[in-house]
Amino acid sequence: MKIKCPSCKKDAELAMDFSSVKCGSCDFDMSYGEYVKFVAHNEIKYSDILGDYTGSTEGHTSGSLDEWD
Ligand SMILES: [Zn+2]
């Protein structure tokens, strides 16, 4: 099914068995579990609503996003 690519915001494809998420518009390609964490991480970055959640599960991760490109 189609889901939003968290990297380029275009359509990515979620495998029927939820095993992977792949985007045809960029090189986004990871497991669904990683995708969920990736999206959650971005939402934390862009919103302070979950501000008190940061730091509890992830340390200093700035710069790690380079890996996704
Ligand atoms: Zn993409």
Side-chain angles (χ1 to χ4, degrees):
M1 68 185 81
K2 297 294 187 190
I3 59 176
K4 179 182 283 189
C5 173
S7 183
C8 69
K9 311 303 182 191
K10 295 180 181 175
D11 286 342
E13 185 73 23
L14 171 62
M16 294 293 287
D17 61 359
F18 286 76
S19 64
S20 66
V21 178
K22 292 185 180 182
C23 175
S25 300
C26 68
D27 290 333
F28 190 87
D29 181 355
M30 60 177 64
S31 74
Y32 184 66
E34 289 172 317
Y35 166 82
V36 170
K37 282 191 256 184
F38 184 86
V39 171
H41 179 76
N42 282 346
E43 289 186 351
I44 288 168
K45 277 177 57 184
Y46 297 130
S47 172
D48 288 329
I49 293 173
L50 299 174
D52 58 3
Y53 181 71
T54 60
S56 60
T57 58
E58 304 208 29
H60 183 69
T61 54
S62 66
S64 63
L65 290 179
D66 292 340
E67 298 172 17
W68 307 119
D69 292 326

